[in-house]
Every structure is written in structure tokens, then in C-alpha cells.
Amino acid sequence: MQVRKIFACAGVFVTFALSSAYAQQVTTRQIALAGRTSALRAADGGLSPVTQPTSTSNSALDLSFDGITDREQRLANGGQTISTEPAQPGLCVANGFVLETTSGGLRVFDTAGNPLAPVVDLNTFFGYPPAFSNAGELGPSLNDVSCHFDADTQRMFVLTLTLERVGTTSELSRVNHLDLAVSQTSDPFGGWNIYKIPGQNDGTQGTPDHHCAHGPCLADFPHIGADANGIYITTNEFSFEPGFANSILHGAQIYAISKRALTSGAPALTVTELDTADPDLLLDGKPGFTVVPATSPPDNDAGELGGTEYFLSSVAVTKLLRTSEDEPSNERTRASDNRLRVWALSNTQSLDSDSPALVLHHGLVEVEPYDVPNWYKQKRGDTPLRDCLNDSALMTPTGNGCWRILFAEKPRHSTTELILASDSRMQQVVFADGKLWSAFNTSQPSGGDQADVAYFVIQPRVSSGGVGAEVVSEGYVGLPGNSLIHPAVGVTANGKAVIAFTVFGADHFPSAGFATLDTTSGAGAVEIAAEGLGPEDGFLGYQAFGGSGVARFGDGSAAVPDGDSIWIASEYIGQTCTFEQFVADRGACGGTRIASGNWYTRISRVTPK
């Protein structure tokens, strides 16, 4: 194994080839998605009816249907999975297929909304033992899943972070890697090549040593992007701490890989890693954080300087992100800023060579003010899990109290969950029509108690002297009395865009929403693709399960182009039931939820006018 350091204009680039021993973990396999037939609809709970536009008479909504639900994901692989929150929906759309990923599973639909196979859990898809076996053994923990369809190569890419365990126990071993599945054709039911890229960066397996506290680093929150030449994976690299409460941010990492090597099924990869903690890449003494790579609709790649891949990141981040041992671990501040960081990685055509010669530039662009939002109230309704946790009257075989069904000892009282908005980190970046499009959460500019969406359309300029940018369009999207969280932007080749998000607040249970966007008229009115039927009522935010009363919901939406249309996916709540129904049906509520959670995802097709 050779580690080659390449010094080139504002950064230390480390190129490493995966060792022959590690390359043996690259596998080619048929994924268990077979059996596509619309007859599965009845056997798997049916298909939700297509909704019509609910907000305006000129809605761009063409189609809307339920994607993966909490219950479907939990019951995949014979129930050998673990309840997960939030949903983290992702989408790949191509050639008549809609592949949705969530925090624990994936499913294929056709473009009419018909499911073509049952939900497949991620552990099965990536070839691991079950997340939780019928024998009580735990498999690896797979997190932060995303999906990208590459129009140039007609391939789908599914990315996840895998955390290994100590044997089959609940203890994490701190071994972690980025698993990248690449479809062998444009058909998701065909074979997939699966690559494992080590993320510990402690000097083992050919990785650089970033000297993270207590040993291995953690490759957290991965994102995937692409240009004509490469696939780009970015992570937030932290020290790997038990419980993550005291983790220290080392800095965002950028991994660049030849697209042709990936799609040809190469048995081993050459990976070029760029570390934004390099002194020449710091801003205000801080490294990059959530540096998101751009994807592009067909024929929209940037060809300057031998091929250029763009990235965006925000500047205002919460103080919870420590970069040294001296900073407090539990202090949260409402950081604000009016700058975005623009990154340009050039000469990407060199990724096909044995010695890639990449050049990374970074710069700033001034934008409208934004800050880190908070958590917000949801509309009151039936929350049977919360009621069960607090109940002391129901008669059970072990005594009075519904809580006895779930706990041996009486848990802490749980309140109705607040819902956490995303912080101000980038969610998704698109390079289309020569511009960079993105959006993220901010608190309401007027100071109201709600989260809004800040959107940006930016014209980048790159040359051998650096990268610059100017704002083409920007603004806020809001709905009085309600929060819009976890936005994602999809853009067509001709510059028509849609922002997807979840809506909740005084007037809406958590609902799937969207707004159209273009550079001439800005953002359109908020529309509802699917109205929520009840409150968020999942385990993660309840005090009984160790939560703080604040639920993480969504953790992202998805928006991807398909010709003149944009497919979107967001988390929402597609069911409701009373405490009495919950108890009578052992938490299933007529097959609409599981006892520990009730999230749904909603997939829609929107054609901007």
C-alpha cells in the first residue's frame, strides 16, 4: 500500500488505493428485489390513492402516493430489523422505476405508484446479517442512506454509513465504512456491485491518520454527488465517541472516485480524499461542515478546467459541533450568518488516471441572513404511544399501567413531542442551467416561532485563480403559524425547480409539502401533496425512551429530476388512532403503525409550469 500526498493549491490531497485484502470485500451480487408484480399491492397493504392538488387551482402536482412506512420497514426480512427514526427518504428515478430509500429499507415502485416488490431491509440489501435476528443477535448498524441516479452512465448509486459491532452485541466496535452499491444496469432488479470505503482515518487500511480523539474517526452524514467524470462522497468527520455526545469535529471530508471505474465493476478503487481541516481551507479558524456535492440533470456538467465539481456549505452552525476538547459539549447557541461557502474541485477528468491531479478552490458569497432554527410545536391530536407511556389505569398481567407492556419499571412521564427543524446545514445541491441551487432551514426572518426555508440560486465562476460566485435569486418560503423543515431542491435541465419539505404546526399535522421555484419569479406558494392525519408519535423524542421531548423528524427530503418533472419524497404522518384502538390492537392500530412509531413517507411527481 502506498499513500501519496499531492500538494495542489489550497489543500492536502491524500490518494490511496484500497489494499488487496480490503478489495476482497468488494462484492457482486443479485439483490433480493425479485418478484415484481402489481399483485403485491394487495398482499402488502395496498396503495394509497393518488391525491389531487389541495392548495391552488394551478397546482403542479401530477401524482402522489405513499412510499415506505415505519411499519413496512420494521416488518421487512421477517421482522428482523430495528425501529428507526427519522425516515430519511431518498429517491432514484429512471427508466420507469422509482427506487425509494429510507433509514432502514428500500423499495421499488413503477412511475404510476405501484409497488413492484416488498420493502427490503438495508442489511439484506448490503449483504449483512439481520439488524436484529430472531435469535436476539445484532448485525451492523446502517445509517444515513442516500440514492443517486446518474444519467450519464444510466446507473443507480445507493450510499450508506455502516457501523460494525463487537460480535453480535449492542456495543459498537468503532470500525466504520462507507458502503456504495452501484447497479450493473439501469434496472434496480439487476445485479449490484458493492464497494466498502474505510472511514476511520486512523492510518489503517491505507487511510490517512487524522488523530481523532481516542482512535478511529467516524465518517458521519455522508452525501453523494457527481459530475461527468467522478462520483463524490462527503462526510462530517468526528471523533468516534460512545453515544456521540462528546464527539469532536475534525472536518468535512471529500472522497473523489472515477465514475468509470465504479460503473465498470472495477475490483478495486483508487480514492482521492480531501480534508477541509487543512490549514489552507479553514474559515474563521474552522473546517468545512456538511460540504454537499452537486448532482446535475442530463447535459449540465461543468466542463471548465478539465471538469469541475461544485459543492456548497453554510457557515452558521450550532456550538454543539466542538472542534477541540476545550469547547463545552452541551452548549447550544443560535448561530447566524449571511455567507455561504462555495467549493470547486477541478481537473476531475484526471480521476481516470493512476495519479489524479485535482485542484480544490473555496470562496464565499454573501446571501440573505439565516440562522440555526429551534424545535417547534405540532398540532395536538391522538398520541396513543405517549398515552400508553403515561397510563396507570389499564389492567395488564403484571399490574395496572399500559407502560408495563413496554417497561419493567415505570418510565419518566412523556409530553407531546416537539419537532426539531434541521439546523442550517446544506441539505441538497444541484448544478443546473449553469447555476447552483440549494435550500436549508432557518428561523422565521420576522422572528415568529416557526422554521422557514431559505433558498439560493447562485452563479459560480471558477478559474485557475480561484472560485467566486454571485446570487441570482434568493428568498424565504414560509407558511404563517406552521414550520417547513428539511427542504430538498430538484431542478430540471431547463432550470425549473421544486423544493420539497415537511409542513407542521397550528394548521397541519406533519404533512408532505412543496413549492415551485425559478429564477424569474422566485418561489411559489406552499402546496400540500399529502395532508397529515395525526401527530408524530414515535419513540425517539419521548422521555420514557431517553429522549428530551423533541422528536427528530424527516432528517431530509428528496427531489430529483425526470425529464420536465421533479419527483419528491418527504416524511409525513399518514395515520391516526386512539389510545383504545392502540391497546386493542397491541399497538398496530389496524395495521397502520407499529407500537414505537408512526412515520410515513410520501412520493409525488410535480411538473413545474
Side-chain angles (χ1 to χ4, degrees), residues 94-172:
N95 302 308
F97 297 107
V98 179
L99 172 61
E100 182 187 26
T101 60
T102 57
S103 52
L106 53 84
R107 194 177 202 183
V108 183
F109 302 83
D110 65 23
T111 51
N114 301 303
L116 301 180
V119 176
V120 175
D121 66 292
L122 291 179
N123 283 54
T124 295
F125 179 80
F126 281 97
Y128 294 113
F132 182 79
S133 75
N134 292 330
E137 297 177 335
L138 294 176
S141 173
L142 276 62
N143 304 269
D144 294 334
V145 186
S146 57
C147 190
H148 169 65
F149 171 71
D150 184 70
D152 294 341
T153 59
Q154 294 290 295
R155 296 293 187 270
M156 295 183 180
F157 297 81
V158 177
L159 173 67
T160 188
L161 166 64
T162 297
L163 309 179
E164 299 284 358
R165 300 189 185 275
V166 178
T168 57
T169 69
S170 61
E171 183 181 355
L172 296 175

Side-chain angles (χ1 to χ4, degrees), residues 53 64 212 380 433 474 518 524 540 546:
S64 188
C212 286
R380 291 296 184 97
D433 193 31
E474 61 182 350
D518 63 55
L540 192 59

Side-chain angles (χ1 to χ4, degrees), residues 486-538:
H486 302 300
V489 180
V491 192
T492 65
N494 62 356
K496 297 290 186 178
V498 173
I499 309 173
F501 40 74
T502 295
V503 181
F504 72 93
D507 307 304
H508 299 274
F509 294 120
S511 304
F514 69 94
T516 58
L517 172 66
D518 63 55
T519 56
T520 301
S521 55
V526 173
E527 298 195 50
I528 303 298
E531 191 70 59
L533 301 181
E536 149 71 18
D537 185 40

Side-chain angles (χ1 to χ4, degrees), residues 221 223 234-236 252 288-292 312-314 425-427:
F221 205 49
H223 284 72
T234 61
T235 66
N236 285 331
F289 176 69
T290 313
V291 178
V292 177
L312 286 177
S313 61
S314 62
R425 73 184 72 186
M426 286 291 169
Q427 299 286 305

Side-chain angles (χ1 to χ4, degrees), residues 166-530:
V166 178
T168 57
T169 69
S170 61
E171 183 181 355
L172 296 175
S173 69
R174 301 192 184 185
V175 174
N176 65 106
H177 37 88
L178 300 166
D179 289 11
L180 181 61
V182 185
S183 67
Q184 295 175 359
T185 69
S186 61
D187 186 339
F189 291 97
W192 294 71
N193 298 327
I194 298 177
Y195 296 89
K196 303 179 189 299
I197 302 170
Q200 66 271 16
N201 281 343
D202 60 357
T204 63
Q205 294 181 315
T207 64
D209 191 348
H210 290 166
H211 304 287
C212 286
H214 312 298
C217 304
L218 172 67
D220 190 43
F221 205 49
H223 284 72
I224 188 169
D227 72 350
N229 304 303
I231 293 294
Y232 308 92
I233 298 171
T234 61
T235 66
N236 285 331
E237 186 169 283
F238 288 92
S239 59
F240 202 143
E241 306 293 336
F244 309 113
N246 296 310
S247 295
I248 298 172
L249 175 68
H250 173 78
Q253 304 297 301
I254 300 173
Y255 298 85
I257 312 167
S258 165
K259 184 191 293 186
R260 290 165 185 80
L262 284 166
T263 56
S264 68
L269 300 176
T270 296
V271 180
T272 302
E273 183 174 354
L274 300 86
D275 183 3
T276 68
D278 179 81
D280 290 327
L281 297 176
L282 300 180
L283 175 67
D284 302 332
K286 300 291 185 180
F289 176 69
T290 313
V291 178
V292 177
T295 58
S296 298
D299 303 319
N300 270 256
D301 299 299
E304 297 90 345
L305 301 181
T308 293
E309 169 69 3
Y310 288 106
F311 308 75
L312 286 177
S313 61
S314 62
V315 177
V317 296
T318 172
K319 191 69 170 171
L320 282 173
L321 299 174
R322 299 195 303 160
T323 54
S324 75
E325 293 277 8
D326 298 329
E327 294 178 289
S329 60
N330 293 305
E331 179 185 348
R332 182 182 178 91
T333 61
R334 296 287 295 278
S336 61
D337 214 291
N338 69 332
R339 300 170 294 168
L340 299 181
R341 301 190 72 177
V342 184
W343 310 74
L345 183 64
S346 296
N347 198 28
T348 61
Q349 65 185 8
S350 70
L351 286 171
D352 289 330
S353 69
D354 292 335
S355 300
L358 303 174
V359 180
L360 180 64
H361 297 285
H362 67 116
L364 288 171
V365 59
E366 290 191 3
V367 296
E368 60 199 6
Y370 62 91
D371 65 11
V372 177
N374 211 330
W375 38 78
Y376 303 94
K377 294 180 180 179
Q378 57 174 326
K379 183 179 176 180
R380 291 296 184 97
D382 287 312
T383 51
L385 174 59
R386 183 192 71 91
D387 294 343
C388 179
L389 296 171
N390 295 337
D391 175 74
S392 59
L394 182 72
M395 294 183 60
T396 76
T398 57
N400 286 1
C402 181
W403 59 265
R404 295 178 185 273
I405 299 172
L406 301 170
F407 294 94
E409 297 181 0
K410 189 172 183 177
R412 295 173 57 194
H413 179 85
S414 291
T415 58
T416 299
E417 292 175 311
L418 303 171
I419 293 180
L420 178 67
S422 172
D423 58 24
S424 62
R425 73 184 72 186
M426 286 291 169
Q427 299 286 305
Q428 186 176 5
V429 178
V430 178
F431 182 72
D433 193 31
K435 306 172 186 67
L436 292 168
W437 308 64
S438 192
F440 52 67
N441 269 142
T442 182
S443 65
Q444 188 183 33
S446 63
D449 189 23
Q450 68 185 56
D452 283 358
V453 169
Y455 69 85
F456 309 93
V457 184
I458 295 168
Q459 181 80 58
R461 303 182 306 274
V462 65
S463 67
S464 57
V467 61
E470 61 184 22
V471 174
V472 176
S473 179
E474 61 182 350
Y476 303 101
V477 183
L479 187 64
N482 298 270
S483 290
L484 314 180
I485 61 171
H486 302 300
V489 180
V491 192
T492 65
N494 62 356
K496 297 290 186 178
V498 173
I499 309 173
F501 40 74
T502 295
V503 181
F504 72 93
D507 307 304
H508 299 274
F509 294 120
S511 304
F514 69 94
T516 58
L517 172 66
D518 63 55
T519 56
T520 301
S521 55
V526 173
E527 298 195 50
I528 303 298

